[in-house]
Amino acid sequence: KEVVEHLVALKVMRLTKPALISPKIVTCDFKDLPGNILNNFLKDDATSVVQMETLAAGQFLLLPQSFGNIYLGETFSCYVCVHNETNQPVQSVSIKADLQTSSYRIPLTTQQNAAPLMLDVDETLSDVIHHEVKDLGTHILVCEVTYMSNYNTLASFRKFFKFEVMKPLDVKTKFYNAESDDVFVEAQVQNITSGPIILEQVLLDSSPQFTVNSLNEDSDGLSVFGDVTLLQSQESCQYLYCLTPKDNISKDIKLIAAAKNIGKLD
Protein backbone atom coordinates (compact mmCIF):
# COMPACT_ATOMS: atom_id res chain seq x y z
CA LYS A 1 0.00 0.00 0.00
CA GLU A 2 1.34 3.40 -1.01
CA VAL A 3 2.31 5.64 1.89
CA VAL A 4 0.73 9.10 1.65
CA GLU A 5 2.72 12.05 2.99
CA HIS A 6 0.34 14.53 4.58
CA LEU A 7 0.97 18.24 5.01
CA VAL A 8 -0.04 18.22 8.68
CA ALA A 9 0.74 15.92 11.60
CA LEU A 10 -1.69 14.72 14.25
CA LYS A 11 -0.63 14.21 17.87
CA VAL A 12 -2.84 12.92 20.68
CA MET A 13 -1.90 12.81 24.37
CA ARG A 14 -4.04 11.68 27.27
CA LEU A 15 -4.13 14.27 30.04
CA THR A 16 -3.21 12.46 33.24
CA LYS A 17 -1.02 13.16 36.23
CA PRO A 18 2.64 13.28 35.14
CA ALA A 19 5.28 11.19 36.89
CA LEU A 20 8.75 12.04 38.13
CA ILE A 21 11.45 10.62 35.91
CA SER A 22 14.75 9.53 37.42
CA PRO A 23 18.01 8.43 35.79
CA LYS A 24 18.97 4.81 35.27
CA ILE A 25 21.67 4.31 37.86
CA VAL A 26 24.68 2.32 36.68
CA THR A 27 27.77 3.07 38.75
CA CYS A 28 30.91 1.47 40.12
CA ASP A 29 33.90 2.19 42.32
CA PHE A 30 36.57 4.37 40.73
CA LYS A 31 39.07 1.51 41.26
CA ASP A 32 37.06 -0.79 38.97
CA LEU A 33 37.87 -1.24 35.31
CA PRO A 34 35.47 1.45 33.96
CA GLY A 35 36.99 3.99 36.34
CA ASN A 36 34.85 7.13 36.49
CA ILE A 37 33.27 6.67 33.06
CA LEU A 38 29.94 5.43 34.44
CA ASN A 39 29.92 7.99 37.25
CA ASN A 40 30.61 10.86 34.87
CA PHE A 41 27.93 9.62 32.51
CA LEU A 42 25.45 9.60 35.41
CA LYS A 43 26.42 13.14 36.41
CA ASP A 44 25.85 14.33 32.84
CA ASP A 45 22.37 12.81 32.75
CA ALA A 46 19.86 15.68 32.53
CA THR A 47 17.37 13.86 34.76
CA SER A 48 19.75 13.37 37.69
CA VAL A 49 19.86 15.70 40.69
CA VAL A 50 23.21 17.40 41.29
CA GLN A 51 25.22 15.71 44.06
CA MET A 52 22.46 13.12 44.49
CA GLU A 53 22.96 11.21 41.26
CA THR A 54 22.87 7.74 42.86
CA LEU A 55 19.67 8.29 44.86
CA ALA A 56 17.30 7.93 41.88
CA ALA A 57 15.69 11.23 42.83
CA GLY A 58 13.85 12.87 39.96
CA GLN A 59 13.53 16.55 39.19
CA PHE A 60 11.73 16.36 35.83
CA LEU A 61 8.12 15.45 35.10
CA LEU A 62 7.46 12.84 32.43
CA LEU A 63 4.39 13.43 30.30
CA PRO A 64 2.08 10.43 29.69
CA GLN A 65 3.58 8.05 27.14
CA SER A 66 0.40 6.00 26.62
CA PHE A 67 -3.29 6.06 27.48
CA GLY A 68 -2.64 3.81 30.49
CA ASN A 69 -5.41 2.34 32.63
CA ILE A 70 -8.87 3.90 32.44
CA TYR A 71 -11.53 2.93 34.94
CA LEU A 72 -15.30 3.16 34.87
CA GLY A 73 -16.54 6.52 36.13
CA GLU A 74 -13.34 8.40 35.31
CA THR A 75 -13.34 11.45 33.06
CA PHE A 76 -11.30 10.66 29.97
CA SER A 77 -9.38 13.78 28.93
CA CYS A 78 -6.94 14.17 26.07
CA TYR A 79 -5.15 16.82 24.05
CA VAL A 80 -5.52 16.68 20.26
CA CYS A 81 -3.11 18.73 18.17
CA VAL A 82 -2.65 19.26 14.42
CA HIS A 83 0.67 20.81 13.40
CA ASN A 84 1.73 22.28 10.06
CA GLU A 85 5.15 20.74 9.39
CA THR A 86 5.60 22.19 5.89
CA ASN A 87 7.20 25.45 4.74
CA GLN A 88 3.93 26.82 3.40
CA PRO A 89 0.46 27.62 4.79
CA VAL A 90 -2.15 24.87 4.79
CA GLN A 91 -5.75 25.81 4.11
CA SER A 92 -9.08 24.50 5.45
CA VAL A 93 -7.74 22.53 8.41
CA SER A 94 -10.28 20.96 10.77
CA ILE A 95 -10.33 18.31 13.51
CA LYS A 96 -13.01 15.76 14.30
CA ALA A 97 -12.85 13.35 17.24
CA ASP A 98 -15.33 10.61 18.11
CA LEU A 99 -15.39 7.93 20.78
CA GLN A 100 -16.49 4.55 19.43
CA THR A 101 -17.79 1.76 21.66
CA SER A 102 -19.43 -1.54 20.81
CA SER A 103 -22.88 0.05 20.81
CA TYR A 104 -22.61 3.75 20.00
CA ARG A 105 -20.43 6.59 18.72
CA ILE A 106 -20.07 9.91 20.58
CA PRO A 107 -18.74 13.16 19.04
CA LEU A 108 -16.20 14.68 21.44
CA THR A 109 -14.32 17.57 19.90
CA THR A 110 -15.48 21.08 20.70
CA GLN A 111 -14.60 22.09 17.13
CA GLN A 112 -17.01 19.64 15.51
CA ASN A 113 -18.97 22.44 13.82
CA ALA A 114 -16.21 25.07 13.71
CA ALA A 115 -15.18 26.60 10.39
CA PRO A 116 -11.93 25.24 8.87
CA LEU A 117 -8.84 27.33 9.59
CA MET A 118 -5.61 28.19 7.82
CA LEU A 119 -2.43 27.00 9.52
CA ASP A 120 0.69 29.01 8.85
CA VAL A 121 4.15 27.46 9.01
CA ASP A 122 4.71 25.79 12.42
CA GLU A 123 1.24 26.77 13.60
CA THR A 124 -1.02 24.33 15.41
CA LEU A 125 -4.73 23.69 15.78
CA SER A 126 -5.51 22.04 19.10
CA ASP A 127 -8.45 20.91 21.18
CA VAL A 128 -8.93 19.48 24.68
CA ILE A 129 -11.74 16.95 24.98
CA HIS A 130 -13.40 15.45 28.05
CA HIS A 131 -15.80 12.55 28.43
CA GLU A 132 -17.05 10.67 31.48
CA VAL A 133 -16.62 6.96 30.80
CA LYS A 134 -19.82 5.06 31.62
CA ASP A 135 -19.30 1.72 29.87
CA LEU A 136 -16.87 -1.14 30.32
CA GLY A 137 -14.93 -2.78 27.52
CA THR A 138 -13.08 -1.62 24.43
CA HIS A 139 -13.23 2.05 23.45
CA ILE A 140 -11.68 3.55 20.31
CA LEU A 141 -10.84 7.24 19.97
CA VAL A 142 -11.19 8.12 16.28
CA CYS A 143 -9.46 11.34 15.22
CA GLU A 144 -9.93 12.68 11.70
CA VAL A 145 -8.07 15.62 10.16
CA THR A 146 -9.22 17.34 6.98
CA TYR A 147 -7.25 19.94 5.00
CA MET A 148 -6.79 21.38 1.52
CA SER A 149 -4.00 19.66 -0.39
CA ASN A 150 -1.58 21.25 -2.86
CA TYR A 151 -3.90 20.14 -5.66
CA ASN A 152 -6.81 22.20 -4.26
CA THR A 153 -8.68 19.08 -3.24
CA LEU A 154 -9.76 18.09 0.24
CA ALA A 155 -7.50 15.51 1.84
CA SER A 156 -8.07 13.71 5.11
CA PHE A 157 -6.67 10.98 7.30
CA ARG A 158 -7.65 9.18 10.48
CA LYS A 159 -5.88 7.77 13.49
CA PHE A 160 -7.32 5.24 15.92
CA PHE A 161 -6.43 4.93 19.60
CA LYS A 162 -7.79 1.86 21.37
CA PHE A 163 -8.05 1.53 25.14
CA GLU A 164 -9.86 -0.67 27.64
CA VAL A 165 -12.19 0.60 30.36
CA MET A 166 -12.02 -1.58 33.48
CA LYS A 167 -13.91 -1.90 36.75
CA PRO A 168 -12.37 0.08 39.63
CA LEU A 169 -14.13 -1.93 42.34
CA ASP A 170 -15.11 -5.54 42.91
CA VAL A 171 -18.12 -6.13 45.15
CA LYS A 172 -18.95 -9.47 46.77
CA THR A 173 -22.03 -10.00 48.95
CA LYS A 174 -23.07 -12.57 51.52
CA PHE A 175 -26.51 -13.05 53.09
CA TYR A 176 -27.36 -14.29 56.57
CA ASN A 177 -30.95 -15.06 57.61
CA ALA A 178 -31.88 -14.46 61.24
CA GLU A 179 -34.67 -16.20 63.17
CA SER A 180 -36.47 -12.86 63.41
CA ASP A 181 -36.84 -12.80 59.59
CA ASP A 182 -34.20 -10.09 59.37
CA VAL A 183 -31.63 -10.45 56.60
CA PHE A 184 -28.03 -9.39 57.24
CA VAL A 185 -26.07 -8.38 54.16
CA GLU A 186 -22.28 -8.30 54.16
CA ALA A 187 -20.75 -6.39 51.25
CA GLN A 188 -17.02 -6.67 50.57
CA VAL A 189 -15.72 -3.81 48.43
CA GLN A 190 -12.25 -4.36 46.95
CA ASN A 191 -10.06 -1.85 45.13
CA ILE A 192 -8.87 -3.57 41.95
CA THR A 193 -7.19 -0.52 40.41
CA SER A 194 -3.44 0.09 40.35
CA GLY A 195 -3.66 3.02 42.79
CA PRO A 196 -5.42 4.11 45.99
CA ILE A 197 -9.14 4.89 46.13
CA ILE A 198 -11.15 6.85 48.70
CA LEU A 199 -14.66 5.55 49.33
CA GLU A 200 -16.79 8.57 50.09
CA GLN A 201 -20.01 6.65 50.75
CA VAL A 202 -21.34 3.10 50.42
CA LEU A 203 -25.12 2.76 50.72
CA LEU A 204 -27.59 -0.10 50.40
CA ASP A 205 -30.76 1.11 48.72
CA SER A 206 -33.40 -1.38 49.84
CA SER A 207 -36.41 -2.50 47.84
CA PRO A 208 -39.92 -1.33 48.91
CA GLN A 209 -40.40 -4.63 50.77
CA PHE A 210 -37.64 -3.95 53.32
CA THR A 211 -36.27 -1.23 55.55
CA VAL A 212 -32.50 -1.03 55.81
CA ASN A 213 -30.35 -0.25 58.83
CA SER A 214 -26.66 0.40 58.32
CA LEU A 215 -24.41 -1.21 60.94
CA ASN A 216 -21.33 0.73 59.86
CA GLU A 217 -21.74 3.67 62.26
CA ASP A 218 -21.23 3.97 65.99
CA SER A 219 -23.74 5.33 68.51
CA ASP A 220 -22.78 8.89 67.56
CA GLY A 221 -23.47 8.29 63.88
CA LEU A 222 -19.79 8.34 62.91
CA SER A 223 -18.32 5.81 60.52
CA VAL A 224 -16.52 2.90 62.17
CA PHE A 225 -13.88 3.21 59.44
CA GLY A 226 -12.88 6.73 60.46
CA ASP A 227 -13.15 10.05 58.68
CA VAL A 228 -11.62 8.72 55.44
CA THR A 229 -11.99 5.22 53.99
CA LEU A 230 -8.79 4.80 51.98
CA LEU A 231 -8.22 1.57 50.08
CA GLN A 232 -4.82 0.83 48.63
CA SER A 233 -4.59 -1.36 45.54
CA GLN A 234 -6.12 -4.82 46.19
CA GLU A 235 -7.30 -3.84 49.68
CA SER A 236 -10.92 -4.42 50.67
CA CYS A 237 -13.44 -3.23 53.23
CA GLN A 238 -16.51 -5.01 54.65
CA TYR A 239 -19.85 -3.27 55.16
CA LEU A 240 -22.79 -4.75 57.10
CA TYR A 241 -26.49 -3.96 56.74
CA CYS A 242 -29.65 -5.29 58.38
CA LEU A 243 -32.80 -5.62 56.27
CA THR A 244 -36.12 -5.89 58.09
CA PRO A 245 -39.31 -6.93 56.24
CA LYS A 246 -42.05 -4.32 56.33
CA ASP A 247 -45.20 -4.97 58.30
CA ASN A 248 -47.32 -5.78 55.25
CA ILE A 249 -45.22 -8.88 54.46
CA SER A 250 -43.65 -9.75 57.82
CA LYS A 251 -46.79 -11.61 58.96
CA ASP A 252 -47.09 -13.72 55.81
CA ILE A 253 -44.52 -16.49 55.37
CA LYS A 254 -45.29 -16.85 51.67
CA LEU A 255 -44.69 -13.15 51.01
CA ILE A 256 -41.41 -13.26 52.91
CA ALA A 257 -40.26 -16.27 50.90
CA ALA A 258 -41.18 -14.51 47.66
CA ALA A 259 -39.36 -11.29 48.58
CA LYS A 260 -36.12 -11.99 46.72
CA ASN A 261 -35.33 -8.45 45.58
CA ILE A 262 -33.72 -6.79 48.59
CA GLY A 263 -32.23 -3.73 46.88
CA LYS A 264 -29.02 -2.47 45.31
CA LEU A 265 -25.65 -1.28 46.57
CA ASP A 266 -24.48 2.24 45.62
Side-chain angles (χ1 to χ4, degrees):
K1 186 177 179 180
E2 184 180 356
V3 178
V4 179
E5 293 290 338
H6 292 283
L7 302 180
V8 293
L10 172 66
K11 303 293 183 181
V12 176
M13 180 180 68
R14 185 188 172 197
L15 298 178
T16 57
K17 182 175 64 176
L20 283 172
I21 181 173
S22 57
K24 294 182 179 179
I25 299 176
V26 180
T27 184
C28 65
D29 192 271
F30 72 94
K31 296 180 181 179
D32 293 333
L33 184 61
N36 283 322
I37 295 178
L38 296 177
N39 297 332
N40 292 335
F41 181 78
L42 188 59
K43 290 180 180 180
D44 294 336
D45 193 322
T47 62
S48 63
V49 180
V50 178
Q51 296 182 352
M52 292 189 295
E53 293 85 0
T54 59
L55 297 182
Q59 62 177 345
F60 288 93
L61 291 177
L62 178 67
L63 294 176
Q65 302 298 298
S66 65
F67 275 21
N69 295 328
I70 300 178
Y71 296 98
L72 188 68
E74 278 191 298
T75 298
F76 170 72
S77 302
C78 71
Y79 175 72
V80 182
C81 172
V82 177
H83 179 236
N84 179 9
E85 296 184 330
T86 67
N87 56 1
Q88 60 187 8
V90 179
Q91 304 286 340
S92 302
V93 181
S94 63
I95 308 174
K96 179 183 177 183
D98 297 327
L99 188 63
Q100 177 73 52
T101 69
S102 58
S103 56
Y104 56 83
R105 190 182 185 111
I106 305 173
L108 295 183
T109 179
T110 59
Q111 301 183 8
Q112 201 86 10
N113 300 317
L117 301 176
M118 183 195 76
L119 289 186
D120 211 340
V121 179
D122 276 341
E123 278 192 341
T124 60
L125 173 63
S126 60
D127 193 11
V128 177
I129 57 180
H130 306 279
H131 176 70
E132 183 181 353
V133 180
K134 299 180 180 180
D135 296 282
L136 296 170
T138 303
H139 288 58
I140 302 175
L141 179 65
V142 184
C143 297
E144 181 178 8
V145 178
T146 304
Y147 65 94
M148 188 68 69
S149 70
N150 291 332
Y151 304 101
N152 289 327
T153 58
L154 282 178
S156 65
F157 64 93
R158 290 181 176 181
K159 283 191 176 182
F160 302 88
F161 304 89
K162 182 185 292 187
F163 59 92
E164 295 290 330
V165 176
M166 300 175 290
K167 291 193 306 180
L169 299 171
D170 182 51
V171 180
K172 297 177 181 178
T173 55
K174 294 181 181 179
F175 300 90
Y176 306 93
N177 294 318
E179 294 182 358
S180 60
D181 295 330
D182 288 345
V183 179
F184 290 90
V185 181
E186 177 189 341
Q188 176 180 286
V189 182
Q190 183 182 20
N191 174 15
I192 56 176
T193 71
S194 58
I197 281 182
I198 293 179
L199 298 180
E200 294 182 353
Q201 196 174 41
V202 178
L203 297 176
L204 179 61
D205 186 12
S206 66
S207 68
Q209 299 165 317
F210 293 90
T211 57
V212 61
N213 179 30
S214 175
L215 304 178
N216 306 298
E217 293 82 25
D218 58 20
S219 57
D220 297 326
L222 301 176
S223 173
V224 296
F225 303 107
D227 295 334
V228 178
T229 306
L230 174 65
L231 294 183
Q232 298 292 342
S233 180
Q234 303 305 316
E235 284 187 348
S236 60
C237 190
Q238 279 81 19
Y239 293 84
L240 187 61
Y241 303 90
C242 177
L243 294 171
T244 303
K246 291 189 175 180
D247 294 338
N248 60 334
I249 67 169
S250 61
K251 299 177 182 179
D252 192 327
I253 298 178
K254 293 183 179 179
L255 290 177
I256 294 177
K260 297 180 180 179
N261 180 19
I262 63 172
K264 61 180 181 178
L265 195 68
D266 292 328

